[in-house]
Amino acid sequence: MTQGPTVRDIAAHAGVSIATVSRVLNDQEHVSPGTRDLVQQAIDELGGRSPRRRPSRTGAIFVRCPYLLTDYFGLIVSSIAETLDLHGRQLVLNAGEAAQEVPVLGSLPARPGIGGAIVVLPPEPGEELIALQGTGFPFVVVDPREDVPRDIAAVSAAHFAGARSLTAHLTGLGHRRIGLLAGPDNWLASTARRAGHVSALADAGVLLDRQLALPGEPTVRFGFQAAQRLLNLRDRPTALVCFNDKVASGALAAAVQMGLSVPEDVSIAGFDDIDLAQATRPMLTTVRQPLGEMGRIAVGLLVRILDRHRLDALHVELATELIVRASTGPAPR
């Protein structure tokens, strides 16, 4: 049985690159009509049959982000939407906190018109992600809540390194009694950031005082209440490391209400570097996560999976950056 021409044969005959031929065969955009005609003409002249290859999956991309699309999540989803548009892919958005109560992952493979998915901080247990992966349905996880198997594509920030750099900044300023307003105990980011915090304390010869570590939801309210609790201790901490900038802003409000000066009496630091970090007074020292880049990388991984390209790295961890502002200073004497 005679085989059709290869992609390399077509590229050489048409005088174009192999990548251009691949884009034409996959009906991708960014190829001029004239070039498409050249490629099709080469196929006709070389035997009239396109190369045998598994077609890429078509259809819209389902983006699940079951949270309010403000600051943190809004930046990630906006980046995903913009990058999908550049790739000529339509987006179906599933967002809002009410979406957490509606199971959707299991139905995605059979949903008409859906070619793949990007799920952001999925609230579903890891077993559901593993089950979805077992169907062969292509998807990428952004900022997973739990550890995901190595064969599931995932993008996250370097939580451990970011938290370690933040606490090291504080110990470098002389702080030794540092409160930790952590995130939920069952979040992967919480575990990694706590480990980074403990590592930096150990470098300074300090053991974590469990009385100073409080887990909670990443909200302004939790930050306010937890900070009040720690700052009312007889031997109160001289610094507070917060799970995110929202928690830090709540802690800052609590300190001010108690008549404490920041950073003279207590230093306060956050994580994420959303706009809120520069709206507080004083502005927050924090750790910048590359939120937009997380969305772009997720789309890039998914497009390569859809085009059936080989991926050597399925788990991508993006570097964070310590941003020092006025909310941290030397430990009080």
Side-chain angles (χ1 to χ4, degrees), residues 212-223:
L212 299 182
L214 302 178
E217 292 300 312
T219 63
V220 174
R221 181 177 182 180
F222 164 69

Side-chain angles (χ1 to χ4, degrees), residues 5-32 35-44 46 49-53 56 307 309:
T6 66
V7 172
R8 187 178 297 277
D9 294 336
I10 297 169
H13 194 81
V16 298
S17 69
I18 293 175
T20 297
V21 174
S22 178
R23 283 194 289 268
V24 172
L25 294 174
N26 288 306
D27 291 324
Q28 293 180 0
E29 296 185 349
H30 312 302
V31 180
S32 68
T35 301
R36 288 184 186 276
D37 291 341
L38 277 175
V39 172
Q40 188 57 54
Q41 182 180 346
I43 293 172
D44 294 339
L46 289 173
R49 293 168 52 202
S50 297
R52 291 183 177 183
R53 55 178 290 145
S56 62
D307 288 343
H309 293 169

Side-chain angles (χ1 to χ4, degrees), residues 37-289:
D37 291 341
L38 277 175
V39 172
Q40 188 57 54
Q41 182 180 346
I43 293 172
D44 294 339
E45 292 176 357
L46 289 173
R49 293 168 52 202
S50 297
R52 291 183 177 183
R53 55 178 290 145
R54 297 171 68 194
S56 62
R57 292 184 66 113
T58 59
I61 304 304
F62 189 91
V63 177
R64 175 161 168 78
C65 184
Y67 309 94
L68 294 177
L69 297 186
T70 57
D71 41 70
Y72 183 93
F73 295 110
L75 290 170
I76 295 175
V77 172
S78 294
S79 176
I80 290 172
E82 292 169 357
T83 311
L84 285 174
D85 186 61
L86 290 175
H87 284 277
R89 291 277 183 171
Q90 292 185 321
L91 178 151
V92 174
L93 180 60
N94 174 251
E97 292 182 339
Q100 294 185 21
E101 308 303 322
V102 182
V104 297
L105 295 188
S107 65
L108 286 179
R111 188 162 177 167
I114 299 298
I118 297 175
V119 291
V120 182
L121 194 65
E124 292 84 2
E127 291 79 6
E128 290 192 32
L129 295 174
I130 294 172
L132 181 60
Q133 194 268 346
T135 68
F137 181 80
F139 69 98
V140 175
V141 180
V142 177
D143 200 11
R145 276 198 186 189
E146 304 178 18
D147 276 316
V148 294
R150 299 304 301 176
D151 56 351
I152 292 180
V155 183
S156 63
H159 297 293
F160 175 91
R164 191 176 188 281
S165 69
L166 184 56
T167 299
H169 162 67
L170 291 169
T171 59
L173 291 170
H175 295 276
R176 293 296 182 270
R177 189 162 173 81
I178 302 174
L180 177 63
L181 278 57
D185 279 335
N186 59 341
W187 284 21
L188 183 62
S190 300
T191 303
R193 292 181 195 177
R194 183 187 181 101
H197 175 68
V198 170
S199 175
L201 287 179
D203 286 345
V206 179
L207 293 177
L208 176 68
D209 184 340
R210 296 185 181 278
Q211 184 184 24
L212 299 182
L214 302 178
E217 292 300 312
T219 63
V220 174
R221 181 177 182 180
F222 164 69
F224 185 88
Q225 295 175 341
Q228 279 190 322
R229 178 174 167 184
L230 293 183
L231 295 177
N232 272 315
L233 293 173
R234 174 171 296 181
D235 186 13
R236 69 178 181 229
T238 63
L240 298 177
V241 169
C242 303
F243 180 76
N244 64 9
D245 295 334
K246 288 184 177 180
V247 173
S249 69
L252 182 61
V256 171
Q257 186 183 86
M258 295 172 67
L260 299 174
S261 296
V262 177
E264 291 78 12
D265 296 320
V266 59
S267 288
I268 295 176
F271 208 104
D272 292 344
D273 195 30
I274 59 176
D275 289 345
L276 177 63
Q278 297 186 62
T280 61
R281 292 296 178 269
M283 292 191 290
L284 287 170
T285 291
T286 187
V287 173
R288 178 176 294 158
Q289 290 202 71

